[in-house]
Amino acid sequence: MSKRMILSLLTAVLSLGTVMADNIDEMMKSMTLEEKARLLVGVADEDYEPGTAGHQKQFVYGAAGVTYAIPRLGIPSTLSCDGPAGVHIDSVRPGDSRRYFATGFPIASCLAGTWNAELVENVGKAMGNETLEYGCDIILGPGMNIHRNPLCGRNFEYYSEDPYVTGVIGTALVKGIQSQGVGACPKHYAVNSQETERFSVDEQVSERALHEIYLRGFEKMVREAHPWCIMSAYNRVNGVYAQCNKLLLTDILRDDWGFNGIVMTDWIGKRADLPVEEAVKSGNDLMMPGYPVQIEDILAAVKDGRLPMADLDRSVRRMLEFIVKTPRYKNYRFSESPDRAAHAAITRQAGTEGMVLLKNNGALPMATTGKDTIALFGVNSYDFLSGGVGSGCVNVEKVVDMVSGLKAQGIATTPTLTDIYQKYVQYARVKLMVDKNPLMWFLDQGQPKLDEIEITERCIRHEAQEASAAIITIARQAGEGIDRQIDGEFTLTDLEQTMIQRVSDVFHEQNKPVIVVINSGSVIETVSWRDKVDAILMAWQPGQEGGNAVADVLTGKVSPSGKLTMTWPVSVYDHWSTRNFPQDYDMYSYQRLRQRNRPIKGITYTNHEEGIYVGYRYFDTYKKQVAYPFGFGLSYTTFAYSRPNVKLRNDVLTVSVTVTNTGKTAGKEVVQVYVHAPEGGMDKPEKELRAFAKTRLLQAGEKETLTMEIRKSDLASWSEASHGWEVASGDYDVMVAANANDVRGTATVKIK
Ligand code: GLC
């Protein structure tokens, strides 16, 4: 009998006195105070080094966290693993020749870019299945913070600038994950709007913006998907740490929204300025990854009355109610071999459907006569980025690059250029391993971006002779703990601009098209160069099948149907929020400033001065030019919309519109429904997204009628006078649109 079988037999015998959902009361009575305190603190590895967040070596190597076991009571340890793009565990285990790869799914912004809740739920099912089969009980995702500003380092892990899109997509993913019998842990609750000084920055936000923008997505997801867990954010919200913020964790999350799971902290140890009893009292049940000193602190707080026994018991009960739901409690015999081939197909479909065609003057789809050869520029064409870096990365077996993806669909790449880049990638990877900045610990987690190389005009001319077109990949990498710079990260580097200029000059001389593929989880500047090229595809970081998904779109195997879930500004300075966002921040020089212990804008505090005017709510209302509007995305075909039909019955607006494929190829269309509220009363955005739907694949000439519902309560704005939601009476303009700047039809309805 194998060691593991003996262990599971032992566990089964021991669990005879199991923690059954119906005898938790008895269990609590028999727990010692020490056991109760231990249950609220994770069990980090003894040799846990701060900064290796999400890395422990018990049970499943590389999983993020472990909770305390009490065998005599049948309470097993439970396990959580990252992250929003798939199961983050080590692929290597000491003394084990087998590799443990997980599937790299598309990053959050790409999933949201599909505007397809059903597809995202399927991704959630696959993600949940891998969580289960690799022996974990919770996956620490989705990330549901708002894209307040393009410079935030973790935007790739979040869905949108809009709370409604965030809520719909987050709900779909959580439902998918939890349908597999494991828990989701949406994060980072709340207002984790930047990475700069994320452990301590005070996110100052008006009550209205907090409810309408930063909490609205979480609210929809909690009410409709009932997550097992929620992760409180590192930062403060209006002066109070999220992890001891009673307003957020109890008054709103539990009393208003009805959340009945557990709240765990983000991965941090004892905080000198945050007594652990304050966390427990406010509704934060579990301290992760957990240090022994935190157990001592809980015991001391109980003993001297700072932590009432009732508060301790409340969290213990929540932990037990959570534990009895977990696969580990149920002794689920996980296989460690999920169906990764099937999941690869799902990730490819989602990645393909999330891509957004930003420009196309007819160069796409590319002809695939079988004899086509492409000149493929840009380092990341050959080192394609599956996802971001940090806890949100996934250790995948292989990332399909553009060469492989194109080749699989009958498109070859010019051999000399391919050889140059492939040899450079090998060299650059080796060099990076010794060159990388040890402070950038998360660079070990995921694919760092290799520096671009210069390709001379002479080389470009040589390649152009045998190529029918050029593709240039522009890539960006980002991750937790650090925000993006403006120069060379939001904007292109001189080298990238030169590459686009040279390739365009040479290929256009020969009437050959130039296509740019953007392999990034974040928005970049486009206006300064987009007129030089024939087509631009935002490929995001679409998961491990990246090159295949890009080829699916470039060859027309799949007509692009993704749309932007965040505004692409002309300049990053056009965002109102940029005035209050840390820029070109150097965390090392800041140490000196910290000694002065005085408020520093964007560092010790960030004032969300723009209030609700985030993204299109700002650009649309203040009539600001944008590069690409919220909701924008081209297809290879065209669509016509009928006049919308809007009916109000029993406080529900039903909006229906018929979409016709008026082009020559099949495609899917995302219809957005925006609502303009009646004038007067509170200031309101010009319009707000209140519903959306996506057609099935429509063949040329086919049509489909989409019907969407908007509850009257969905039209509410948050009143700071009454501290509650208010729906103004009057005429509401209901618009069906292809994007925020392309309204196709309007109907007006009176609401009392
Ligand atoms: C990290 C991240 C969080 C992650 C956790 C565990 O610091 O902020 O998203 O789930 O720690 O790795």
Side-chain angles (χ1 to χ4, degrees), residues 76 181 323-333:
I323 289 166
V324 299
K325 295 192 288 191
T326 62
R328 274 188 186 267
Y329 168 70
K330 296 172 180 171
N331 288 313
Y332 177 75
R333 303 200 41 70

Short mmCIF file of all heavy atoms in Angstrom, two decimals, residues 76 181 323-333:
data_model
loop_
_atom_site.label_atom_id
_atom_site.label_comp_id
_atom_site.label_asym_id
_atom_site.label_seq_id
_atom_site.Cartn_x
_atom_site.Cartn_y
_atom_site.Cartn_z
N PRO A 76 -9.04 18.91 8.20
CA PRO A 76 -7.82 18.80 7.40
C PRO A 76 -7.25 20.18 7.10
O PRO A 76 -7.95 21.19 7.26
CB PRO A 76 -8.32 18.14 6.12
CG PRO A 76 -9.69 18.74 5.94
CD PRO A 76 -10.24 18.90 7.34
N GLY A 181 -16.68 22.22 -7.63
CA GLY A 181 -16.56 21.79 -6.24
C GLY A 181 -15.36 22.38 -5.53
O GLY A 181 -14.96 21.94 -4.47
N ILE A 323 -14.52 24.87 5.51
CA ILE A 323 -13.71 23.65 5.42
C ILE A 323 -14.56 22.45 5.00
O ILE A 323 -14.17 21.64 4.16
CB ILE A 323 -12.98 23.36 6.75
CG1 ILE A 323 -11.87 24.41 6.94
CG2 ILE A 323 -12.40 21.96 6.79
CD1 ILE A 323 -11.30 24.45 8.35
N VAL A 324 -15.78 22.36 5.52
CA VAL A 324 -16.60 21.17 5.20
C VAL A 324 -17.00 21.16 3.73
O VAL A 324 -17.45 20.14 3.21
CB VAL A 324 -17.87 21.07 6.10
CG1 VAL A 324 -17.48 20.95 7.55
CG2 VAL A 324 -18.80 22.25 5.86
N LYS A 325 -16.81 22.26 3.03
CA LYS A 325 -17.17 22.26 1.59
C LYS A 325 -16.00 21.80 0.72
O LYS A 325 -16.17 21.56 -0.47
CB LYS A 325 -17.58 23.68 1.15
CG LYS A 325 -18.84 24.19 1.81
CD LYS A 325 -19.36 25.46 1.14
CE LYS A 325 -18.51 26.66 1.42
NZ LYS A 325 -19.17 27.92 0.98
N THR A 326 -14.78 21.74 1.32
CA THR A 326 -13.59 21.57 0.47
C THR A 326 -13.36 20.12 0.07
O THR A 326 -13.70 19.19 0.80
CB THR A 326 -12.33 22.05 1.23
OG1 THR A 326 -12.17 21.22 2.39
CG2 THR A 326 -12.44 23.50 1.63
N PRO A 327 -12.76 19.93 -1.11
CA PRO A 327 -12.41 18.57 -1.55
C PRO A 327 -11.49 17.86 -0.56
O PRO A 327 -11.62 16.68 -0.32
CB PRO A 327 -11.70 18.82 -2.88
CG PRO A 327 -12.22 20.12 -3.37
CD PRO A 327 -12.49 20.93 -2.16
N ARG A 328 -10.58 18.60 0.06
CA ARG A 328 -9.68 17.94 1.02
C ARG A 328 -10.45 17.43 2.22
O ARG A 328 -10.16 16.37 2.75
CB ARG A 328 -8.56 18.90 1.45
CG ARG A 328 -7.40 18.86 0.49
CD ARG A 328 -6.19 19.63 0.93
NE ARG A 328 -5.24 19.59 -0.18
CZ ARG A 328 -4.28 18.67 -0.28
NH1 ARG A 328 -4.13 17.78 0.65
NH2 ARG A 328 -3.48 18.66 -1.33
N TYR A 329 -11.45 18.16 2.63
CA TYR A 329 -12.26 17.67 3.75
C TYR A 329 -13.00 16.41 3.31
O TYR A 329 -13.14 15.45 4.06
CB TYR A 329 -13.25 18.74 4.20
CG TYR A 329 -14.29 18.19 5.14
CD1 TYR A 329 -13.93 17.82 6.43
CD2 TYR A 329 -15.58 17.95 4.71
CE1 TYR A 329 -14.86 17.26 7.27
CE2 TYR A 329 -16.51 17.38 5.54
CZ TYR A 329 -16.15 17.03 6.82
OH TYR A 329 -17.06 16.45 7.65
N LYS A 330 -13.42 16.39 2.04
CA LYS A 330 -14.19 15.24 1.54
C LYS A 330 -13.28 14.12 1.05
O LYS A 330 -13.72 13.19 0.40
CB LYS A 330 -15.11 15.69 0.40
CG LYS A 330 -16.17 16.69 0.86
CD LYS A 330 -16.94 17.26 -0.30
CE LYS A 330 -17.99 18.27 0.17
NZ LYS A 330 -18.60 19.00 -0.96
N ASN A 331 -11.97 14.28 1.35
CA ASN A 331 -11.01 13.24 0.92
C ASN A 331 -11.08 12.98 -0.57
O ASN A 331 -10.93 11.84 -1.01
CB ASN A 331 -11.27 11.92 1.67
CG ASN A 331 -10.85 12.05 3.11
OD1 ASN A 331 -9.75 12.55 3.36
ND2 ASN A 331 -11.71 11.68 4.02
N TYR A 332 -11.30 14.00 -1.34
CA TYR A 332 -11.36 13.80 -2.80
C TYR A 332 -10.01 13.27 -3.28
O TYR A 332 -8.97 13.79 -2.95
CB TYR A 332 -11.67 15.11 -3.51
CG TYR A 332 -11.66 14.96 -5.01
CD1 TYR A 332 -12.72 14.34 -5.66
CD2 TYR A 332 -10.58 15.38 -5.77
CE1 TYR A 332 -12.70 14.17 -7.04
CE2 TYR A 332 -10.54 15.20 -7.14
CZ TYR A 332 -11.61 14.60 -7.77
OH TYR A 332 -11.57 14.41 -9.13
N ARG A 333 -10.06 12.22 -4.07
CA ARG A 333 -8.80 11.64 -4.54
C ARG A 333 -8.42 12.31 -5.86
O ARG A 333 -8.88 11.89 -6.91
CB ARG A 333 -8.95 10.14 -4.68
CG ARG A 333 -9.38 9.51 -3.33
CD ARG A 333 -9.10 8.05 -3.24
NE ARG A 333 -7.82 7.65 -3.80
CZ ARG A 333 -6.63 7.95 -3.26
NH1 ARG A 333 -6.58 8.70 -2.17
NH2 ARG A 333 -5.51 7.56 -3.82
#
